[in-house]
Amino acid sequence: MPTIKDVALQAGVSATTVSRVLNNRGYLSEELKAKVYGAMKELNYRPNELARSLSRSKSNIIGLIIPHVSHPFFGELAGHIEDHAYRNGYKLLLCNSQLDKSKELDHIDMLRASRVDGIIMGSHTLEVEAYNQIHLPVVAFDRKLSDDIPYICSDNYKGGLLATTLLVDKGCRKLAHIGGHPHLNVLSLERYRAFQDIVEQRGIWHTSLHTDINGFNFHEYERLLEVLFQEHPDVDGIFASSDVIAAYALKACHESGRRVPEDIKIIGYDGISLRGLLTPSITTILQPIEAMGKLAVDLILEQVEGNSVVMEHVFPVELELGGTT
Amino acid sequence: MPTIKDVALQAGVSATTVSRVLNNRGYLSEELKAKVYGAMKELNYRPNELARSLSRSKSNIIGLIIPHVSHPFFGELAGHIEDHAYRNGYKLLLCNSQLDKSKELDHIDMLRASRVDGIIMGSHTLEVEAYNQIHLPVVAFDRKLSDDIPYICSDNYKGGLLATTLLVDKGCRKLAHIGGHPHLNVLSLERYRAFQDIVEQRGIWHTSLHTDINGFNFHEYERLLEVLFQEHPDVDGIFASSDVIAAYALKACHESGRRVPEDIKIIGYDGISLRGLLTPSITTILQPIEAMGKLAVDLILEQVEGNSVVMEHVFPVELELGGTT
DNA sequence: GCATGTATGTCAACCGGTTGACATACATCT
DNA sequence: AGATGTATGTCAACCGGTTGACATACATGC
C-alpha cells in the first residue's frame, strides 16, 4: 500500500503538504489540492488509519459487547448501532460475550488495548468494579453500573404493569412469569416487580421461572416451558420477559394442544421485528430499539467530545396488541 | 493510559526489555518477567494495539460486510464468525451494507484504510472489478468474484433439487418460487435453476417472484405474498429461497385461511435457528451456517499467513422436514 | 514602504510500540 | 583459555501519519 511519501513524490510536494491537504489545514490553492488528490487517485491511496489513530490518540472505533448477535433483540440493536456509528464516521468492533464472565472481561481488555473511543455494554455479567476501571466513555444497557456511567433502558416497571394488567383484565387467573435471573442486577427485573405488585394486589395466583433471557441457548426455553406445563398445567396467562421466550411459549402451547388466546394468553417484551412473523402475532411491550441504539452511540460521542451527559435514559414503552391475548 | 516507558520506569528496566518480555523474545529470566509483569499489573497497563499494529503492519482485525446483522441468517453467520475470530485472536469490524452500492464501497474503503487483515464479503452488490482492487485477503459468500477470491456456498443446486422434488412428490401441481433478483450474480440463483429444471422436466405449472432475499425490508415480503395469492390463488406449493420468506409465506397462508400443509405446502432455505420457533415448524434446506462461518475465518487466516487456499468451497445441504410439507 | 494575507516548503518531534545491531557480564563446558 | 549459552542493557531506525516552528515569496491594501 502506498504511503503519504509516495503520494508526495508523485505529486511533487512534501509529505507535510499532503497531510495538510488531507486534513484541510492552512492555506491551500485549488491547484495544489487537485494535484495532490490526483496523485492519491493514481496510486489508489488510502491514509493509514492506524497511523492516524496513533498520532491523534483517537481511533474512531466504538466497541460493542452484547450477549450474542444471533439473538434477535441484540442483532437488531447492533444493526442500529452500526448504522448510526457509520453515519457519524465511526467503526464498530463487535464482541459476543455469550454471557461468560471471562469472555466479557477479555473483550473489555481487548477493546481497551485497541484504544476504542468508547464501549457500549449490552452485556454486563461482571461486578461493578470491573466497569469502573475501564476509564473510557461507556454506556450501559439496562443496568446502572455506577454514578458516572450513563445507562439506557425502557420503562421496565411500566412495561411490566401494562403486560400484567392486560392479562388480568382479559380474565387470566393463574399467571406465570418467565424472566431473568434475579441475581443479575439488571433493570429488567423491574418488569417482574411490577408483575408481583399487580398479582399480589389483585390476589391472583402466580408463579415465576428464571432463565437467561438474553441467552442464545434456545433449547433451554423449551425445557423451561415443559417444566411449567408439567407442574402447573392450568396456567392461563404467561408474561415472558422477551419476545423470543414468548414465541417459545406460543409454540409449546400449540404442541400441547392449548388454544391461544382461548385457553391461555401470552404476552412478550421487546418488540423485535420478527414478532410479526408468528401466527398469531404476539402481543408484546414495544421498546424503541432503534432510538435506544442511536442514543447509545450519541452518548459515547458526547463523552468523547468531553461533554457531560445525563446519566439516566428511560424510554417509554408501548403495548402492542397481537393475537396471543 | 500508561505506555511502555512508564512500565519500564516502574520496573527499573528499559523499554526494549519490556517489549521483549511482552513478546517473549530472547533470553528472559523468571525474575525479570515477574518484575515486568508486576509493573504492568500495578499500572494496569495494556500495550497499545494501534502502535503494535502499525509497526507490525498487521492489525489482527477482520472486516465483515453483510447486508444487515438484523437479518436472522446474517446475524447467525456474524455470530459464528465473531466467535471463531475471537478464538484465533482476531477482532471483528462489522459493516452493514444494507445492499446499497455506495455504502458497500464506502465500507470496503474504510476497511482498507483501517488496515484490516482481510475482508469477508457477505454482501456483494458491486462489479467484480471493485473486489479485484481490494488487494487484501478476501473471502466471499455465495458468489464467485474472480479466479483468486475463494468463495463459500452451500450446494445450491442440490438444495433447489431437494426442495422442489419434495413439493412435487408430495403432490403439489401449481408451484411458486420466491428468490433473489436474477441480475445479482449470486450462486443462490442455482436454487432457481434446479427448480426450473424439475418443474419443466415434470411438466408442472410454475411461476416465480423475485426480491431481495437478503434484504431487511420485511414488509416487501408481505406485499409480495399478497400479489402472489391475488394473481394465483390456487398455488399449492411455495419454494422460498430463505426461511424468513418462508415464514412470511406461512403467515400469509394463515391469514388468508389456507391450511398448511393441507391446502398448500411451503419449504424454505437456510436453516436459521429461529425456524423451530414457528408453528408448524418450517420444512427447510439446512446450510451448515456455523461451519461456513468458521471456514470463512480460516480462509482469511490462511491467506494472511501466505498459504494458498482452495478457491471453491461447496457445503452439503440437508433436507429438514417440518410441519409445512 | 510596510503590514497583512495567501500559498508553499523544510525540519524535527511525536504517537507507542518493534526490532536489529552491538556491548557487556557471568556461568558452564571442553 | 576460549567457545558457547544465558541474561540484560543501550541506541537508533522504523511503522505512517500529524503538527508546530520557522522560512520564503508573491499579491494586495493603505
Side-chain angles (χ1 to χ4, degrees), chain A residues 4 19 23 25 45 48 52 55:
Chain A
I4 202 170
S19 175
N23 298 289
R25 301 173 66 90
Y45 170 78
N48 186 326
R52 295 183 117 178
S55 78

Side-chain angles (χ1 to χ4, degrees), chain A residues 305-319:
Chain A
E305 282 161 26
N307 302 329
S308 67
V309 297
V310 175
M311 289 299 143
E312 192 188 66
H313 300 268
V314 181
F315 278 80
V317 293
E318 210 179 303
L319 173 67

Side-chain angles (χ1 to χ4, degrees), chain B residues 104 121 124-134 145 149:
Chain B
E104 195 186 309
M121 304 284 325
H124 24 54
T125 59
L126 307 171
E127 305 304 315
V128 286
E129 201 204 344
Y131 303 103
N132 285 318
Q133 285 178 353
I134 294 180
L145 295 173
I149 297 182

Side-chain angles (χ1 to χ4, degrees), chain A residues 204-237:
Chain A
I204 293 191
W205 186 96
H206 60 279
T207 182
S208 185
L209 300 172
H210 302 291
T211 180
D212 280 337
I213 59 166
N214 297 330
F216 38 94
N217 183 3
F218 298 146
H219 290 299
E220 197 190 315
Y221 299 161
E222 291 181 343
R223 281 199 304 278
L224 208 67
L225 267 304
E226 230 173 89
V227 169
L228 174 66
F229 285 148
Q230 212 155 52
E231 294 184 359
H232 307 291
D234 52 347
V235 159
D236 62 2

Side-chain angles (χ1 to χ4, degrees), chain A residues 224-265:
Chain A
L224 208 67
L225 267 304
E226 230 173 89
V227 169
L228 174 66
F229 285 148
Q230 212 155 52
E231 294 184 359
H232 307 291
D234 52 347
V235 159
D236 62 2
I238 297 178
F239 171 26
S241 217
S242 88
D243 287 339
V244 174
I245 295 180
Y248 273 101
L250 178 59
K251 192 189 166 202
C253 289
H254 280 144
E255 286 174 353
S256 61
R258 289 172 167 80
R259 289 171 307 160
V260 179
E262 294 83 355
D263 302 335
I264 182 170
K265 303 190 199 311

Side-chain angles (χ1 to χ4, degrees), chain B residues 127-179:
Chain B
E127 305 304 315
V128 286
E129 201 204 344
Y131 303 103
N132 285 318
Q133 285 178 353
I134 294 180
H135 298 305
L136 268 180
V138 172
V139 171
F141 272 101
D142 207 39
R143 180 164 171 201
K144 181 176 177 176
L145 295 173
S146 84
D147 284 339
D148 23 60
I149 297 182
Y151 60 96
I152 297 171
C153 60
S154 64
D155 193 341
N156 286 295
Y157 190 84
K158 175 81 177 298
L161 223 58
L162 286 172
T164 315
T165 306
L166 181 75
L167 291 178
V168 174
D169 286 352
K170 291 257 178 177
C172 299
R173 288 301 170 259
K174 276 205 92 167
L175 292 186
H177 166 266
I178 306 177

